[in-house]
Amino acid sequence: FFEAYNRLNLALNGSIIDKSMQVYGPHSDQETVYADCVAPIVEQVCSGLSCCIFAYGQTGAGKTFTMRGDLSADVSQHGIIQRSMVHLFSRLTEHDYTDIGVKCSFLEIYNEELEDLFVGHGSAKPKKGAVKPRLTLVDHESRGCVCKGLTEVKVDALDQVGLVYVCFPLI
């Protein structure tokens, strides 16, 4: 029997708010997890807050499936990434925003090492013998905590996010 313990960490004005959400069993669906844990965060992004969504847990706990889901046409199997992008772009069309930009990045933290998952895939593939850039977390004056050196791909529409995402190999 598998249970995932979901935790929401929000950084507001330098303070960390740790809010335990709930325990999800093996029969929980993607929509329930998204509605409970992620939809409120996307709404905060639409209100102007900088937010981060991440999966944390032991190997085999279902982090990749929760984040990525199944890329098939069956929307019920889509993960947090697809659902949050659909939600975000649908909200952006509700108003006439002129100064909004959306960028995608994929960052893995494993054994306290940061890895840019875009590096080595597609156009970002390094030349043979090239050393991967060292990523570091820094406190940016206006953006808060950012990963210096992380590849960010600008996207203007949901279909562009889909192309970036589908072309990216399984995390």
Side-chain angles (χ1 to χ4, degrees), residues 54-94:
F54 64 93
Y56 176 83
Q58 70 185 57
T59 300
K63 299 176 298 294
T64 299
F65 183 74
T66 299
M67 294 300 287
R68 186 176 174 94
D70 182 346
L71 298 179
S72 69
D74 183 359
V75 176
S76 70
Q77 296 300 307
H78 287 185
I80 285 173
I81 295 170
Q82 298 99 313
R83 292 172 189 275
S84 61
M85 291 295 97
V86 168
H87 186 168
L88 178 63
F89 277 98
S90 70
R91 290 283 277 124
L92 291 177
T93 62
E94 293 175 5

Coordinates of all heavy atoms in Angstrom, one line a residue, residues 54-94:
F54 N 7.1 21.6 -6.6 CA 8.1 20.5 -6.7 C 7.5 19.2 -6.0 O 6.6 19.3 -5.2 CB 9.4 20.9 -6.0 CG 9.3 21.2 -4.6 CD1 9.6 20.2 -3.7 CD2 9.0 22.4 -4.1 CE1 9.6 20.4 -2.3 CE2 9.0 22.7 -2.7 CZ 9.2 21.6 -1.8
A55 N 8.1 18.1 -6.5 CA 7.8 16.8 -5.9 C 8.9 16.3 -5.1 O 10.1 16.4 -5.5 CB 7.4 15.8 -7.0
Y56 N 8.6 15.8 -3.9 CA 9.7 15.4 -3.0 C 9.3 14.0 -2.5 O 8.1 13.8 -2.1 CB 9.8 16.4 -1.9 CG 10.8 16.0 -0.8 CD1 12.1 16.2 -0.9 CD2 10.4 15.3 0.4 CE1 13.0 15.9 0.0 CE2 11.2 15.0 1.4 CZ 12.6 15.2 1.2 OH 13.5 14.9 2.2
G57 N 10.2 13.1 -2.4 CA 9.9 11.8 -1.8 C 10.9 10.7 -2.2 O 11.8 11.0 -3.0
Q58 N 10.7 9.5 -1.7 CA 11.7 8.5 -1.9 C 11.5 7.9 -3.4 O 10.5 8.1 -4.0 CB 11.5 7.3 -0.9 CG 10.2 6.6 -1.1 CD 10.0 5.6 0.1 OE1 10.0 6.0 1.2 NE2 9.9 4.3 -0.3
T59 N 12.5 7.2 -3.8 CA 12.5 6.6 -5.1 C 11.3 5.6 -5.2 O 11.0 4.9 -4.3 CB 13.8 5.8 -5.3 OG1 14.9 6.7 -5.3 CG2 13.8 5.1 -6.7
G60 N 10.6 5.7 -6.3 CA 9.4 4.9 -6.6 C 8.1 5.3 -6.0 O 7.1 4.7 -6.0
A61 N 8.2 6.5 -5.3 CA 7.0 7.0 -4.7 C 5.9 7.6 -5.6 O 4.8 7.8 -5.2 CB 7.3 8.1 -3.6
G62 N 6.3 7.9 -6.9 CA 5.3 8.4 -7.9 C 5.5 9.8 -8.2 O 4.6 10.5 -8.8
K63 N 6.7 10.4 -7.9 CA 6.9 11.8 -8.2 C 6.9 12.2 -9.7 O 6.2 13.1 -10.1 CB 8.3 12.3 -7.6 CG 8.5 12.1 -6.1 CD 9.9 12.4 -5.7 CE 11.0 11.6 -6.3 NZ 11.0 10.1 -5.9
T64 N 7.5 11.3 -10.5 CA 7.5 11.6 -11.9 C 6.1 11.5 -12.5 O 5.7 12.4 -13.3 CB 8.5 10.6 -12.6 OG1 9.8 10.8 -12.1 CG2 8.5 10.9 -14.1
F65 N 5.4 10.5 -12.1 CA 4.0 10.3 -12.7 C 3.2 11.5 -12.2 O 2.4 12.0 -13.0 CB 3.4 9.0 -12.3 CG 2.1 8.8 -12.9 CD1 1.9 8.5 -14.2 CD2 0.9 8.9 -12.1 CE1 0.7 8.4 -14.8 CE2 -0.3 8.8 -12.6 CZ -0.5 8.5 -14.0
T66 N 3.3 11.9 -10.9 CA 2.5 13.0 -10.4 C 2.8 14.3 -11.2 O 1.9 15.0 -11.6 CB 2.7 13.2 -8.9 OG1 2.4 12.0 -8.2 CG2 1.9 14.4 -8.4
M67 N 4.1 14.6 -11.4 CA 4.5 15.8 -12.1 C 4.2 15.7 -13.6 O 3.7 16.6 -14.2 CB 5.9 16.1 -11.9 CG 6.3 16.5 -10.5 SD 5.4 17.9 -9.8 CE 6.3 19.2 -10.7
R68 N 4.6 14.6 -14.2 CA 4.5 14.5 -15.7 C 3.2 13.8 -16.2 O 2.7 14.2 -17.2 CB 5.7 13.7 -16.2 CG 5.9 13.6 -17.7 CD 7.2 12.9 -18.1 NE 7.2 12.7 -19.5 CZ 7.8 13.6 -20.3 NH1 8.4 14.6 -19.9 NH2 7.9 13.3 -21.6
G69 N 2.8 12.8 -15.5 CA 1.6 12.0 -15.9 C 1.9 11.3 -17.2 O 3.0 11.0 -17.5
D70 N 0.8 11.0 -17.9 CA 0.9 10.3 -19.2 C 0.6 11.3 -20.2 O -0.4 12.0 -20.2 CB -0.1 9.1 -19.2 CG -0.1 8.3 -20.4 OD1 0.5 8.7 -21.4 OD2 -0.7 7.2 -20.4
L71 N 1.5 11.4 -21.2 CA 1.4 12.4 -22.3 C 0.3 12.0 -23.4 O 0.2 12.7 -24.4 CB 2.7 12.7 -22.9 CG 3.8 13.2 -22.0 CD1 5.1 13.4 -22.7 CD2 3.3 14.5 -21.4
S72 N -0.4 11.0 -23.1 CA -1.4 10.5 -24.1 C -2.5 11.5 -24.2 O -2.6 12.5 -23.5 CB -2.0 9.2 -23.7 OG -2.8 9.3 -22.5
A73 N -3.4 11.3 -25.1 CA -4.6 12.2 -25.3 C -5.6 12.1 -24.2 O -6.5 13.0 -24.1 CB -5.3 11.9 -26.7
D74 N -5.4 11.1 -23.3 CA -6.4 11.0 -22.2 C -6.0 12.0 -21.1 O -5.1 11.8 -20.3 CB -6.2 9.5 -21.6 CG -7.2 9.3 -20.5 OD1 -8.0 10.2 -20.1 OD2 -7.2 8.2 -19.9
V75 N -6.8 13.1 -21.1 CA -6.5 14.2 -20.2 C -6.6 13.8 -18.8 O -5.9 14.4 -17.9 CB -7.6 15.4 -20.5 CG1 -7.4 16.5 -19.5 CG2 -7.4 15.8 -21.9
S76 N -7.3 12.8 -18.4 CA -7.4 12.3 -17.0 C -6.1 11.8 -16.5 O -5.9 11.8 -15.3 CB -8.5 11.3 -16.8 OG -8.1 10.0 -17.4
Q77 N -5.2 11.5 -17.4 CA -3.8 11.0 -17.0 C -2.8 12.1 -17.0 O -1.6 11.8 -16.7 CB -3.4 9.8 -17.9 CG -4.3 8.6 -17.7 CD -4.3 8.1 -16.3 OE1 -3.3 7.8 -15.7 NE2 -5.5 8.0 -15.7
H78 N -3.1 13.3 -17.4 CA -2.1 14.4 -17.4 C -1.7 14.7 -16.0 O -2.5 14.7 -15.1 CB -2.7 15.6 -18.1 CG -2.8 15.4 -19.6 ND1 -3.2 16.5 -20.4 CD2 -2.6 14.4 -20.4 CE1 -3.2 16.0 -21.7 NE2 -2.8 14.8 -21.7
G79 N -0.4 15.1 -15.9 CA 0.1 15.4 -14.6 C 0.0 16.9 -14.2 O -0.6 17.7 -14.9
I80 N 0.7 17.2 -13.2 CA 0.7 18.6 -12.6 C 1.2 19.6 -13.7 O 0.7 20.7 -13.8 CB 1.5 18.7 -11.3 CG1 0.7 18.0 -10.2 CG2 1.9 20.1 -11.0 CD1 1.4 17.9 -8.9
I81 N 2.3 19.3 -14.4 CA 2.9 20.2 -15.3 C 1.9 20.6 -16.4 O 1.6 21.8 -16.7 CB 4.2 19.6 -16.0 CG1 5.2 19.5 -14.9 CG2 4.7 20.5 -17.1 CD1 6.5 18.7 -15.3
Q82 N 1.3 19.6 -17.1 CA 0.3 19.9 -18.1 C -0.9 20.7 -17.6 O -1.3 21.7 -18.1 CB -0.3 18.6 -18.8 CG 0.7 17.8 -19.5 CD 1.2 16.6 -18.6 OE1 1.5 16.8 -17.4 NE2 1.2 15.4 -19.2
R83 N -1.4 20.2 -16.4 CA -2.6 20.9 -15.8 C -2.3 22.3 -15.4 O -3.2 23.2 -15.6 CB -3.1 20.1 -14.6 CG -3.7 18.7 -15.0 CD -4.0 17.9 -13.8 NE -4.3 16.5 -14.2 CZ -5.5 16.1 -14.5 NH1 -6.5 17.0 -14.6 NH2 -5.8 14.9 -14.9
S84 N -1.2 22.6 -14.9 CA -0.9 23.9 -14.4 C -0.7 24.9 -15.6 O -1.1 26.0 -15.6 CB 0.4 23.9 -13.5 OG 1.5 23.4 -14.1
M85 N -0.1 24.4 -16.7 CA 0.1 25.2 -17.9 C -1.2 25.5 -18.6 O -1.5 26.6 -19.0 CB 1.0 24.5 -18.9 CG 2.5 24.4 -18.4 SD 3.3 26.1 -18.3 CE 3.1 26.4 -16.5
V86 N -2.1 24.5 -18.6 CA -3.5 24.8 -19.2 C -4.2 25.8 -18.3 O -4.8 26.8 -18.8 CB -4.3 23.5 -19.3 CG1 -5.8 23.7 -19.5 CG2 -3.7 22.5 -20.3
H87 N -4.1 25.6 -17.0 CA -4.7 26.6 -16.1 C -4.2 28.0 -16.2 O -4.9 29.0 -16.3 CB -4.5 26.0 -14.7 CG -5.2 26.8 -13.6 ND1 -5.3 26.3 -12.3 CD2 -5.8 28.0 -13.5 CE1 -6.0 27.1 -11.5 NE2 -6.3 28.2 -12.3
L88 N -2.8 28.1 -16.2 CA -2.2 29.4 -16.3 C -2.5 30.1 -17.6 O -2.9 31.3 -17.6 CB -0.7 29.2 -16.2 CG 0.2 30.5 -16.4 CD1 -0.1 31.5 -15.3 CD2 1.6 30.2 -16.4
F89 N -2.4 29.4 -18.8 CA -2.7 30.1 -20.0 C -4.2 30.4 -20.2 O -4.5 31.4 -20.8 CB -2.2 29.3 -21.2 CG -0.7 29.5 -21.5 CD1 0.2 28.6 -21.0 CD2 -0.3 30.6 -22.2 CE1 1.6 28.9 -21.2 CE2 1.1 30.9 -22.4 CZ 2.0 30.0 -21.9
S90 N -5.1 29.6 -19.6 CA -6.5 30.0 -19.7 C -6.8 31.2 -18.8 O -7.5 32.1 -19.2 CB -7.4 28.8 -19.2 OG -7.3 28.6 -17.8
R91 N -6.1 31.4 -17.7 CA -6.2 32.6 -16.9 C -5.6 33.8 -17.6 O -6.2 34.9 -17.5 CB -5.6 32.4 -15.5 CG -6.3 31.4 -14.6 CD -7.5 32.0 -14.0 NE -7.1 32.7 -12.8 CZ -7.4 34.0 -12.6 NH1 -8.1 34.7 -13.4 NH2 -7.0 34.6 -11.5
L92 N -4.5 33.6 -18.3 CA -3.9 34.8 -19.0 C -4.7 35.3 -20.1 O -4.6 36.5 -20.4 CB -2.5 34.4 -19.5 CG -1.4 34.1 -18.5 CD1 -0.1 33.6 -19.1 CD2 -1.2 35.3 -17.6
T93 N -5.6 34.5 -20.6 CA -6.5 35.0 -21.7 C -7.7 35.8 -21.2 O -8.4 36.4 -21.9 CB -7.0 33.8 -22.6 OG1 -7.8 32.9 -21.8 CG2 -5.8 33.1 -23.3
E94 N -7.9 35.7 -19.9 CA -9.1 36.4 -19.3 C -8.9 37.9 -19.2 O -9.8 38.6 -19.1 CB -9.3 35.9 -17.9 CG -9.8 34.4 -17.8 CD -9.9 33.9 -16.4 OE1 -9.7 34.6 -15.5 OE2 -10.2 32.7 -16.3

